[in-house]
Amino acid sequence: MQKVTIATVARRAGVSRQTVSNVINTPDVVREETRERVREAIEELGYRVNQAARQMRTGRSRLIAVRIEPARDGINGSVLDRFLHGLTDAAGLAGYRVMLYTAGGDADEIATYDELLNAYDLDAFVLTSTHHGDPRTSWLAARDVPFVTFGRPWGAPDTHSWVDVDNAAGTAAATSHLLSAGHRRIGFLGWPAGSGVGDARREGWHRAAGLSALSATSSDGVEPGAAAAKSLLSRPEAPTALVCASDSLALGALQAARELGRDCAVVGFDDTAVAQAIGLTSVSQPLAEAAARCMGLLTELLDGRAPSLPTTVLLPPSLVVRQTA
């Protein structure tokens, strides 16, 4: 059987060998259409990077680590699962493997970093769920451990490279959609103040709707969301539509509207499988692209090609309309 090389993949995809190398090592510099064509050729031909030869040449393990988020309500937990799937795909194309670990909080995760770095020859970390006062990035930076984050350093300077989704743009688009459908009393159902992501999603709604009174907060989940939505929908001047910070809260809002006999349009966030199954309009995050961009930034960092200043990437979400608002 003939050996499959980069040249073989290049011929199949109709591109240069350098383009194939770019797709493997720095996918963000290649156009999406070309990336997909090269990836299809790689899969069809069964091309695999020679990891042993590469490790001997570079002195690196080609192993990166990322945390698995704890299970929540079975709805929004799938968001980071999709990111991990995309990251694993992007890492594989770049010749890396992904190690998964669990941790119960920041202190536990930092302790896990120490354990993993002592036990394995890890090249880098990808951090998720960034938040205000996040100590994980400073711990890694102080020890010169390469990393990128999926999520910006909320309330802190851009001292490291990150990729994030423009959450405010997502809820602004959802609110504009409802305004164009004729709604004028558009409420917001979100999380308590202090969550960087949650605050950004509230800001997008407020910017588009210009309202502050028609909002309520709760912890994430269907039942807490239903309770908070009832408090809004029971008001004399109740909203006729709700923009929600998550699909879990949106399901709670739908439940509350049904129990109260209210006609209320609802838009969720994250476009989970549940939203798709019940026909809920929801804001979709470009998770596969975010994962690919994270991997691209990481390979730049590990290959010594990163710019002197941190690279920040803010990706636009999209609104998936499935119901009549």
Side-chain angles (χ1 to χ4, degrees):
M1 184 176 180
Q2 185 179 8
K3 181 180 179 181
V4 179
T5 66
I6 281 185
T8 315
V9 174
R11 285 195 297 271
R12 173 66 68 91
V15 298
S16 68
R17 284 180 293 179
Q18 183 59 52
T19 298
V20 176
S21 178
N22 287 342
V23 170
I24 292 172
N25 295 298
T26 54
D28 55 295
V29 304
V30 184
R31 288 188 309 167
E32 173 93 23
E33 179 184 349
T34 305
R35 280 204 312 262
E36 288 306 311
R37 196 162 74 246
V38 172
R39 285 172 177 168
E40 287 174 5
I42 287 172
E43 291 178 4
E44 290 169 3
L45 294 169
Y47 174 71
R48 294 291 181 270
V49 177
N50 187 324
Q51 298 293 356
R54 176 178 266 182
Q55 185 168 348
M56 289 179 65
R57 187 173 66 251
T58 64
R60 298 208 301 268
S61 67
R62 316 297 295 187
L63 186 64
I64 63 174
V66 62
R67 173 187 175 185
I68 302 175
E69 292 294 308
R72 288 187 286 171
D73 59 7
I75 299 174
N76 289 314
S78 66
V79 175
L80 282 176
D81 288 347
R82 284 148 55 198
F83 173 79
L84 288 178
H85 189 281
L87 184 68
T88 303
D89 282 346
L93 286 171
Y96 285 82
R97 292 293 177 266
V98 177
M99 173 184 285
L100 304 178
Y101 62 90
T102 60
D106 289 340
D108 189 24
E109 185 162 3
I110 288 172
T112 302
Y113 295 162
D114 205 21
E115 292 173 6
L116 291 176
L117 290 168
N118 285 324
Y120 301 95
D121 187 20
L122 290 174
D123 282 345
F125 288 85
V126 176
L127 276 59
T128 60
S129 301
T130 57
H131 54 85
H132 290 287
D134 196 330
R136 300 172 300 165
T137 55
S138 56
W139 191 95
L140 291 171
R143 289 156 181 81
D144 293 323
V145 178
F147 70 93
V148 297
T149 64
F150 176 41
R152 71 193 77 182
W154 299 99
D158 292 329
T159 55
H160 64 268
S161 294
W162 54 263
V163 177
D164 202 1
V165 174
D166 193 339
N167 291 280
T171 47
T175 307
S176 296
H177 165 70
L178 292 168
L179 286 168
S180 67
H183 294 280
R184 292 298 174 265
R185 295 195 306 278
I186 303 170
F188 180 75
L189 187 56
W191 305 317
S195 158
V197 171
D199 291 349
R201 293 181 184 182
R202 186 185 190 283
E203 192 273 330
W205 158 79
H206 183 267
R207 187 173 65 211
L211 301 170
S212 58
L214 291 176
S215 67
T217 62
S218 80
S219 58
D220 203 31
V222 177
E223 293 306 318
K230 283 181 181 178
S231 71
L232 283 174
L233 297 176
S234 298
R235 297 181 184 184
E237 290 294 314
T240 61
L242 286 172
V243 174
C244 301
S246 72
D247 284 349
S248 292
L249 292 178
L251 261 65
L254 289 172
Q255 177 182 308
R258 184 172 60 250
E259 291 176 1
L260 293 173
R262 298 275 187 167
D263 185 13
C264 181
V266 176
V267 177
F269 205 112
D270 288 328
D271 194 30
T272 60
V274 172
Q276 297 168 28
I278 68 171
L280 172 70
T281 293
S282 186
V283 178
S284 178
Q285 299 192 55
L287 296 170
E289 183 181 357
R293 297 299 290 272
C294 279
M295 199 61 222
L297 293 179
L298 204 55
T299 53
E300 281 186 355
L301 190 63
L302 293 169
D303 292 343
R305 297 180 290 104
S308 57
L309 295 176
T311 301
T312 62
V313 180
L314 192 61
L315 300 173
S318 58
L319 183 66
V320 182
V321 179
R322 296 192 180 91
Q323 64 185 16
T324 301

